[in-house]
Amino acid sequence: MEHIVRILAINSVTHNVKQFIIEKPDGFTYTPGQATELSVNEPEWIEQKNPFTFTSLTDEHYLEFTIKIYTDHNGVTNHLNELKIGDELILREAWGAIEYKGPGYFIAGGAGITPFLAILRQLNKEGNLADNKLFFANKTDKDIILADELKSMLGENTLFTISDQKDSVHDQRRINEEFLKAQVTDFKKHFYVCGPDPMVAEITGILTKLGADAEAVVFEK
Ligand SMILES: Cc1cc2nc3c(=O)[nH]c(=O)nc-3n(C[C@H](O)[C@H](O)[C@H](O)COP(=O)(O)OP(=O)(O)OC[C@H]3O[C@@H](n4cnc5c(N)ncnc54)[C@H](O)[C@@H]3O)c2cc1C
């Protein structure tokens, strides 16, 4: 089923990530970690259906999406970047991307944090966040989506890693086998991995080798 929904607010999250607050149709439901296909309600854009993850708490009266904008070509996110309050999107059914199955390790790259943002916010609200750890990889400090919120929810259980900024205040290790062996105390816990294809492929490969079972979603090829 398709719903035409209006944009209620647009906020800047980082230099290339925006938060879109949109209308929530009556009775619309989803679970944290789920995504949907969105398109812009303009004739030439309706068929451009791209997946995005709900980052709102499920009981809010609106829906929130946290979207990385690619301005280097004329794709959907570049067009979303030009939209204003009151413009319309087409919202479709929610479908499963990543589901929380129990305490463990969340490993994200860039916009791959979005399903975890939804899950972690919900767990935080319910007081069930303890025993979860986040490893969040980005190129530079300014790319980290909602660093303060993540830190305030997870405290010491947050680890940001930075790959392309020598003077970063954060950890500069790659999330590889050596890193995981050093940081993970229990490979029998749940692992949730989301990010660009090469990162997800490498990390799930290492986790399998180390005896862990990972749920993974690829965000970009
Ligand atoms: C289940 C799921 C959930 C997702 N949830 C989110 C989310 O919540 N937030 C979010 O930000 N993303 C999310 N994504 C990723 C998101 O769907 C894509 O980033 C988005 O669809 C990109 O759309 P686009 O049309 O702007 O770019 P696309 O055309 O799809 O291109 C995406 C990538 O390819 C590069 N690229 C493609 N064509 C060109 C070109 N001609 N020139 C230069 N570069 C090019 C872009 O730079 C970019 O790296 C999700 C993906 C999946 C699978």
Side-chain angles (χ1 to χ4, degrees), residues 144-189:
I144 306 176
I145 294 172
L146 299 169
D148 291 344
E149 182 183 344
L150 291 167
K151 212 65 219 160
S152 81
M153 286 197 292
L154 288 148
E156 293 296 298
N157 288 332
T158 329
L159 202 159
F160 297 131
T161 69
I162 294 295
S163 56
D164 285 359
Q165 185 187 337
K166 293 268 179 305
D167 63 353
S168 168
V169 296
H170 299 296
D171 200 310
Q172 304 210 12
R173 286 174 295 169
R174 243 180 101 71
I175 303 184
N176 54 18
E177 186 169 343
E178 194 187 350
F179 175 99
L180 290 168
K181 280 181 175 164
Q183 293 298 324
V184 172
T185 47
D186 184 357
F187 283 96
K188 292 283 163 246
K189 280 192 156 182

CSV table of all heavy atoms in Angstrom, one decimal, residues 144-189:
chain,number,residue,atom,x,y,z
A,144,ILE,N,30.5,11.6,11.6
A,144,ILE,CA,29.8,10.8,12.6
A,144,ILE,C,28.4,11.3,12.8
A,144,ILE,O,28.2,12.4,13.3
A,144,ILE,CB,30.6,10.8,14.0
A,144,ILE,CG1,32.0,10.4,13.7
A,144,ILE,CG2,29.9,9.8,14.9
A,144,ILE,CD1,32.9,10.4,15.0
A,145,ILE,N,27.4,10.5,12.5
A,145,ILE,CA,26.0,10.8,12.7
A,145,ILE,C,25.6,10.7,14.1
A,145,ILE,O,25.8,9.7,14.8
A,145,ILE,CB,25.1,9.9,11.8
A,145,ILE,CG1,25.4,10.1,10.3
A,145,ILE,CG2,23.7,10.0,12.1
A,145,ILE,CD1,24.8,9.1,9.4
A,146,LEU,N,25.1,11.8,14.7
A,146,LEU,CA,24.6,11.9,16.0
A,146,LEU,C,25.5,11.3,17.1
A,146,LEU,O,25.1,10.5,18.0
A,146,LEU,CB,23.2,11.2,16.1
A,146,LEU,CG,22.2,11.8,15.2
A,146,LEU,CD1,20.9,11.0,15.0
A,146,LEU,CD2,21.8,13.2,15.7
A,147,ALA,N,26.8,11.7,17.0
A,147,ALA,CA,27.8,11.2,17.9
A,147,ALA,C,27.4,11.5,19.4
A,147,ALA,O,27.5,10.6,20.2
A,147,ALA,CB,29.1,11.9,17.7
A,148,ASP,N,26.9,12.7,19.7
A,148,ASP,CA,26.6,13.0,21.1
A,148,ASP,C,25.4,12.2,21.6
A,148,ASP,O,25.5,11.7,22.7
A,148,ASP,CB,26.2,14.5,21.2
A,148,ASP,CG,27.4,15.4,21.0
A,148,ASP,OD1,28.5,14.9,21.0
A,148,ASP,OD2,27.2,16.6,20.7
A,149,GLU,N,24.4,12.0,20.8
A,149,GLU,CA,23.3,11.2,21.2
A,149,GLU,C,23.7,9.7,21.5
A,149,GLU,O,23.3,9.1,22.5
A,149,GLU,CB,22.1,11.2,20.2
A,149,GLU,CG,21.0,10.4,20.6
A,149,GLU,CD,19.8,10.3,19.6
A,149,GLU,OE1,19.8,11.1,18.7
A,149,GLU,OE2,19.0,9.4,19.8
A,150,LEU,N,24.5,9.2,20.5
A,150,LEU,CA,25.0,7.8,20.7
A,150,LEU,C,25.8,7.6,22.0
A,150,LEU,O,25.6,6.7,22.7
A,150,LEU,CB,25.8,7.4,19.5
A,150,LEU,CG,25.0,7.2,18.2
A,150,LEU,CD1,25.9,7.1,17.0
A,150,LEU,CD2,24.0,6.0,18.3
A,151,LYS,N,26.7,8.6,22.2
A,151,LYS,CA,27.5,8.6,23.4
A,151,LYS,C,26.7,8.7,24.7
A,151,LYS,O,26.9,8.0,25.6
A,151,LYS,CB,28.4,9.8,23.3
A,151,LYS,CG,29.8,9.8,23.8
A,151,LYS,CD,30.9,9.1,23.4
A,151,LYS,CE,31.8,8.6,24.5
A,151,LYS,NZ,32.6,7.5,24.1
A,152,SER,N,25.6,9.6,24.6
A,152,SER,CA,24.9,9.7,25.8
A,152,SER,C,24.0,8.5,26.1
A,152,SER,O,23.7,8.2,27.2
A,152,SER,CB,24.0,11.0,25.8
A,152,SER,OG,22.9,10.8,25.0
A,153,MET,N,23.6,7.8,25.0
A,153,MET,CA,22.8,6.6,25.3
A,153,MET,C,23.7,5.4,25.7
A,153,MET,O,23.4,4.7,26.7
A,153,MET,CB,22.1,6.1,24.0
A,153,MET,CG,20.9,7.0,23.5
A,153,MET,SD,19.9,6.1,22.3
A,153,MET,CE,20.9,6.1,20.9
A,154,LEU,N,24.8,5.2,25.1
A,154,LEU,CA,25.6,4.0,25.3
A,154,LEU,C,26.8,4.2,26.2
A,154,LEU,O,27.5,3.3,26.7
A,154,LEU,CB,26.1,3.5,24.0
A,154,LEU,CG,25.1,2.8,23.1
A,154,LEU,CD1,25.4,3.0,21.6
A,154,LEU,CD2,25.0,1.4,23.4
A,155,GLY,N,27.2,5.5,26.4
A,155,GLY,CA,28.4,5.8,27.3
A,155,GLY,C,29.6,5.1,26.9
A,155,GLY,O,30.0,5.1,25.7
A,156,GLU,N,30.3,4.4,27.8
A,156,GLU,CA,31.5,3.7,27.5
A,156,GLU,C,31.4,2.6,26.5
A,156,GLU,O,32.4,2.1,26.0
A,156,GLU,CB,32.0,3.1,28.8
A,156,GLU,CG,32.4,4.1,29.9
A,156,GLU,CD,33.6,4.9,29.4
A,156,GLU,OE1,34.7,4.3,29.2
A,156,GLU,OE2,33.5,6.1,29.3
A,157,ASN,N,30.2,2.2,26.2
A,157,ASN,CA,30.0,1.1,25.2
A,157,ASN,C,29.9,1.6,23.8
A,157,ASN,O,29.4,0.9,22.9
A,157,ASN,CB,28.7,0.3,25.5
A,157,ASN,CG,28.9,-0.5,26.8
A,157,ASN,OD1,30.0,-0.9,27.0
A,157,ASN,ND2,27.8,-0.8,27.5
A,158,THR,N,30.4,2.9,23.6
A,158,THR,CA,30.4,3.4,22.2
A,158,THR,C,31.9,3.5,21.8
A,158,THR,O,32.7,4.1,22.6
A,158,THR,CB,30.0,4.9,22.2
A,158,THR,OG1,29.0,5.1,23.2
A,158,THR,CG2,29.5,5.3,20.8
A,159,LEU,N,32.2,3.1,20.6
A,159,LEU,CA,33.6,3.3,20.1
A,159,LEU,C,33.5,3.8,18.7
A,159,LEU,O,33.0,3.1,17.8
A,159,LEU,CB,34.3,1.9,20.2
A,159,LEU,CG,35.9,2.0,20.2
A,159,LEU,CD1,36.4,0.7,20.8
A,159,LEU,CD2,36.5,2.3,18.9
A,160,PHE,N,34.0,5.0,18.5
A,160,PHE,CA,34.0,5.6,17.1
A,160,PHE,C,35.4,5.3,16.5
A,160,PHE,O,36.4,5.5,17.2
A,160,PHE,CB,33.8,7.1,17.2
A,160,PHE,CG,32.4,7.5,17.7
A,160,PHE,CD1,32.3,8.5,18.7
A,160,PHE,CD2,31.3,6.9,17.3
A,160,PHE,CE1,31.1,8.9,19.2
A,160,PHE,CE2,30.0,7.3,17.8
A,160,PHE,CZ,30.0,8.3,18.8
A,161,THR,N,35.4,4.9,15.3
A,161,THR,CA,36.7,4.7,14.6
A,161,THR,C,36.7,5.6,13.4
A,161,THR,O,35.7,5.7,12.7
A,161,THR,CB,37.0,3.2,14.2
A,161,THR,OG1,36.1,2.9,13.2
A,161,THR,CG2,36.8,2.3,15.3
A,162,ILE,N,37.9,6.2,13.1
A,162,ILE,CA,38.0,7.1,12.0
A,162,ILE,C,39.2,6.7,11.1
A,162,ILE,O,40.3,6.3,11.6
A,162,ILE,CB,38.3,8.5,12.6
A,162,ILE,CG1,37.1,9.0,13.4
A,162,ILE,CG2,38.8,9.5,11.5
A,162,ILE,CD1,35.9,9.3,12.6
A,163,SER,N,38.9,6.6,9.8
A,163,SER,CA,39.9,6.1,8.9
A,163,SER,C,40.7,7.1,8.1
A,163,SER,O,41.8,6.8,7.6
A,163,SER,CB,39.2,5.2,7.9
A,163,SER,OG,38.2,5.8,7.2
A,164,ASP,N,40.2,8.3,7.9
A,164,ASP,CA,40.8,9.3,7.0
A,164,ASP,C,41.2,10.6,7.6
A,164,ASP,O,41.1,11.7,7.0
A,164,ASP,CB,39.9,9.6,5.8
A,164,ASP,CG,39.9,8.4,4.8
A,164,ASP,OD1,40.6,7.4,5.1
A,164,ASP,OD2,39.2,8.5,3.8
A,165,GLN,N,41.4,10.7,8.9
A,165,GLN,CA,41.7,11.9,9.6
A,165,GLN,C,42.8,11.7,10.6
A,165,GLN,O,42.5,11.2,11.7
A,165,GLN,CB,40.5,12.5,10.2
A,165,GLN,CG,40.7,13.9,10.8
A,165,GLN,CD,39.4,14.4,11.5
A,165,GLN,OE1,38.3,14.0,11.3
A,165,GLN,NE2,39.7,15.3,12.4
A,166,LYS,N,44.0,12.0,10.3
A,166,LYS,CA,45.2,11.8,11.2
A,166,LYS,C,45.0,12.4,12.6
A,166,LYS,O,45.4,11.9,13.6
A,166,LYS,CB,46.5,12.2,10.6
A,166,LYS,CG,46.9,11.5,9.3
A,166,LYS,CD,47.8,10.3,9.7
A,166,LYS,CE,48.2,9.5,8.5
A,166,LYS,NZ,47.1,8.9,7.7
A,167,ASP,N,44.4,13.6,12.6
A,167,ASP,CA,44.3,14.3,13.9
A,167,ASP,C,43.0,14.1,14.6
A,167,ASP,O,42.6,14.8,15.5
A,167,ASP,CB,44.5,15.8,13.7
A,167,ASP,CG,43.5,16.5,12.9
A,167,ASP,OD1,42.6,15.7,12.3
A,167,ASP,OD2,43.5,17.7,12.8
A,168,SER,N,42.3,13.0,14.2
A,168,SER,CA,41.0,12.7,14.9
A,168,SER,C,41.2,12.4,16.4
A,168,SER,O,42.3,11.8,16.8
A,168,SER,CB,40.4,11.5,14.2
A,168,SER,OG,39.3,11.0,15.0
A,169,VAL,N,40.2,12.8,17.2
A,169,VAL,CA,40.3,12.4,18.6
A,169,VAL,C,39.9,11.0,18.8
A,169,VAL,O,40.1,10.5,20.0
A,169,VAL,CB,39.4,13.4,19.4
A,169,VAL,CG1,39.9,14.8,19.3
A,169,VAL,CG2,37.9,13.3,19.0
A,170,HIS,N,39.4,10.3,17.8
A,170,HIS,CA,38.9,9.0,18.0
A,170,HIS,C,39.9,7.9,17.6
A,170,HIS,O,40.9,8.2,17.0
A,170,HIS,CB,37.6,8.8,17.2
A,170,HIS,CG,36.5,9.8,17.6
A,170,HIS,ND1,36.0,9.7,18.9
A,170,HIS,CD2,35.9,10.8,17.0
A,170,HIS,CE1,35.1,10.7,19.0
A,170,HIS,NE2,35.0,11.4,17.9
A,171,ASP,N,39.5,6.7,17.9
A,171,ASP,CA,40.3,5.5,17.6
A,171,ASP,C,40.6,5.5,16.0
A,171,ASP,O,39.7,5.8,15.3
A,171,ASP,CB,39.4,4.3,18.0
A,171,ASP,CG,40.3,3.0,18.1
A,171,ASP,OD1,41.0,2.7,17.2
A,171,ASP,OD2,40.1,2.4,19.2
A,172,GLN,N,41.8,5.1,15.6
A,172,GLN,CA,42.1,5.1,14.2
A,172,GLN,C,42.3,3.7,13.6
A,172,GLN,O,42.9,3.6,12.5
A,172,GLN,CB,43.2,6.1,13.9
A,172,GLN,CG,42.9,7.5,14.4
A,172,GLN,CD,43.6,8.6,13.6
A,172,GLN,OE1,44.1,8.4,12.6
A,172,GLN,NE2,43.5,9.8,14.2
A,173,ARG,N,42.0,2.7,14.4
A,173,ARG,CA,42.2,1.4,13.9
A,173,ARG,C,41.1,1.0,12.9
A,173,ARG,O,40.0,1.5,13.0
A,173,ARG,CB,42.1,0.4,15.1
A,173,ARG,CG,43.3,0.4,15.9
A,173,ARG,CD,43.1,-0.5,17.1
A,173,ARG,NE,42.0,0.0,18.0
A,173,ARG,CZ,41.5,-0.7,19.0
A,173,ARG,NH1,41.9,-1.9,19.3
A,173,ARG,NH2,40.6,-0.1,19.8
A,174,ARG,N,41.4,0.1,12.0
A,174,ARG,CA,40.4,-0.5,11.1
A,174,ARG,C,39.6,-1.5,11.9
A,174,ARG,O,40.2,-2.2,12.8
A,174,ARG,CB,41.1,-1.2,10.0
A,174,ARG,CG,40.9,-0.7,8.6
A,174,ARG,CD,41.7,-1.5,7.6
A,174,ARG,NE,40.8,-2.5,7.0
A,174,ARG,CZ,39.9,-2.2,6.1
A,174,ARG,NH1,39.8,-1.0,5.7
A,174,ARG,NH2,39.2,-3.1,5.5
A,175,ILE,N,38.4,-1.7,11.6
A,175,ILE,CA,37.6,-2.8,12.2
A,175,ILE,C,37.9,-4.1,11.5
A,175,ILE,O,37.3,-4.4,10.5
A,175,ILE,CB,36.1,-2.5,12.3
A,175,ILE,CG1,35.9,-1.2,13.0
A,175,ILE,CG2,35.4,-3.6,13.0
A,175,ILE,CD1,34.4,-0.8,13.2
A,176,ASN,N,39.0,-4.7,11.9
A,176,ASN,CA,39.5,-6.0,11.2
A,176,ASN,C,39.6,-7.1,12.3
A,176,ASN,O,39.1,-6.9,13.4
A,176,ASN,CB,40.8,-5.7,10.5
A,176,ASN,CG,41.9,-5.2,11.5
A,176,ASN,OD1,41.7,-5.2,12.7
A,176,ASN,ND2,42.9,-4.6,10.9
A,177,GLU,N,40.2,-8.1,11.9
A,177,GLU,CA,40.3,-9.3,12.9
A,177,GLU,C,41.0,-8.9,14.2
A,177,GLU,O,40.5,-9.3,15.3
A,177,GLU,CB,41.0,-10.5,12.2
A,177,GLU,CG,40.9,-11.7,13.0
A,177,GLU,CD,41.4,-12.9,12.3
A,177,GLU,OE1,41.4,-12.9,11.0
A,177,GLU,OE2,41.7,-13.9,12.9
A,178,GLU,N,42.1,-8.2,14.0
A,178,GLU,CA,42.8,-7.8,15.2
A,178,GLU,C,42.0,-6.9,16.2
A,178,GLU,O,41.9,-7.1,17.4
A,178,GLU,CB,44.1,-7.0,14.7
A,178,GLU,CG,45.1,-6.8,15.8
A,178,GLU,CD,46.2,-5.9,15.2
A,178,GLU,OE1,46.2,-5.5,14.0
A,178,GLU,OE2,47.0,-5.5,16.1
A,179,PHE,N,41.3,-6.0,15.5
A,179,PHE,CA,40.4,-5.1,16.3
A,179,PHE,C,39.3,-5.9,17.0
A,179,PHE,O,39.1,-5.7,18.2
A,179,PHE,CB,39.8,-4.1,15.3
A,179,PHE,CG,38.7,-3.2,16.0
A,179,PHE,CD1,39.1,-1.9,16.3
A,179,PHE,CD2,37.4,-3.6,16.2
A,179,PHE,CE1,38.1,-1.0,16.9
A,179,PHE,CE2,36.5,-2.8,16.7
A,179,PHE,CZ,36.8,-1.5,17.1
A,180,LEU,N,38.7,-6.8,16.3
A,180,LEU,CA,37.5,-7.5,16.9
A,180,LEU,C,38.0,-8.5,18.0
A,180,LEU,O,37.4,-8.5,19.1
A,180,LEU,CB,36.8,-8.3,15.8
A,180,LEU,CG,36.0,-7.4,14.8
A,180,LEU,CD1,35.5,-8.2,13.6
A,180,LEU,CD2,34.8,-6.8,15.5
A,181,LYS,N,39.2,-9.1,17.8
A,181,LYS,CA,39.7,-10.0,18.9
A,181,LYS,C,40.0,-9.1,20.1
A,181,LYS,O,39.8,-9.6,21.2
A,181,LYS,CB,41.0,-10.7,18.4
A,181,LYS,CG,40.7,-11.9,17.5
A,181,LYS,CD,42.0,-12.5,17.1
A,181,LYS,CE,41.8,-13.8,16.3
A,181,LYS,NZ,43.1,-14.1,15.6
A,182,ALA,N,40.5,-7.9,19.9
A,182,ALA,CA,40.8,-7.0,21.0
A,182,ALA,C,39.6,-6.5,21.7
A,182,ALA,O,39.5,-6.3,23.0
A,182,ALA,CB,41.7,-5.9,20.6
A,183,GLN,N,38.5,-6.2,21.0
A,183,GLN,CA,37.4,-5.5,21.5
A,183,GLN,C,36.2,-6.4,22.0
A,183,GLN,O,35.4,-6.0,22.8
A,183,GLN,CB,36.8,-4.5,20.5
A,183,GLN,CG,37.8,-3.3,20.2
A,183,GLN,CD,38.0,-2.5,21.4
A,183,GLN,OE1,37.2,-2.3,22.3
A,183,GLN,NE2,39.3,-2.0,21.6
A,184,VAL,N,36.1,-7.6,21.4
A,184,VAL,CA,35.0,-8.4,21.7
A,184,VAL,C,35.3,-9.4,22.8
A,184,VAL,O,36.3,-10.1,22.6
A,184,VAL,CB,34.5,-9.1,20.4
A,184,VAL,CG1,33.4,-10.2,20.7
A,184,VAL,CG2,34.0,-8.1,19.3
A,185,THR,N,34.5,-9.4,23.8
A,185,THR,CA,34.8,-10.4,24.9
A,185,THR,C,34.0,-11.7,24.7
A,185,THR,O,34.4,-12.7,25.3
A,185,THR,CB,34.4,-9.7,26.2
A,185,THR,OG1,33.1,-9.2,26.1
A,185,THR,CG2,35.4,-8.7,26.6
A,186,ASP,N,32.9,-11.6,23.9
A,186,ASP,CA,32.1,-12.8,23.8
A,186,ASP,C,31.6,-13.0,22.4
A,186,ASP,O,30.6,-12.3,22.0
A,186,ASP,CB,30.9,-12.8,24.8
A,186,ASP,CG,30.1,-14.0,24.8
A,186,ASP,OD1,30.4,-14.9,24.0
A,186,ASP,OD2,29.2,-14.1,25.6
A,187,PHE,N,32.1,-13.9,21.6
A,187,PHE,CA,31.7,-14.1,20.2
A,187,PHE,C,30.4,-14.9,20.1
A,187,PHE,O,29.9,-15.1,19.0
A,187,PHE,CB,32.8,-14.7,19.4
A,187,PHE,CG,33.9,-13.7,19.0
A,187,PHE,CD1,35.1,-13.6,19.8
A,187,PHE,CD2,33.7,-12.9,17.9
A,187,PHE,CE1,36.0,-12.7,19.5
A,187,PHE,CE2,34.7,-12.0,17.6
A,187,PHE,CZ,35.9,-11.9,18.4
A,188,LYS,N,29.9,-15.3,21.3
A,188,LYS,CA,28.6,-16.0,21.2
A,188,LYS,C,27.4,-15.0,21.3
A,188,LYS,O,26.2,-15.4,21.2
A,188,LYS,CB,28.5,-17.0,22.4
A,188,LYS,CG,29.4,-18.1,22.3
A,188,LYS,CD,28.9,-19.2,21.2
A,188,LYS,CE,30.0,-20.1,20.8
A,188,LYS,NZ,30.3,-20.0,19.3
A,189,LYS,N,27.7,-13.7,21.6
A,189,LYS,CA,26.6,-12.7,21.6
A,189,LYS,C,26.1,-12.4,20.2
A,189,LYS,O,26.7,-12.9,19.2
A,189,LYS,CB,27.2,-11.4,22.3
A,189,LYS,CG,27.2,-11.5,23.8
A,189,LYS,CD,27.5,-10.1,24.3
A,189,LYS,CE,27.0,-10.0,25.8
A,189,LYS,NZ,27.2,-8.7,26.3
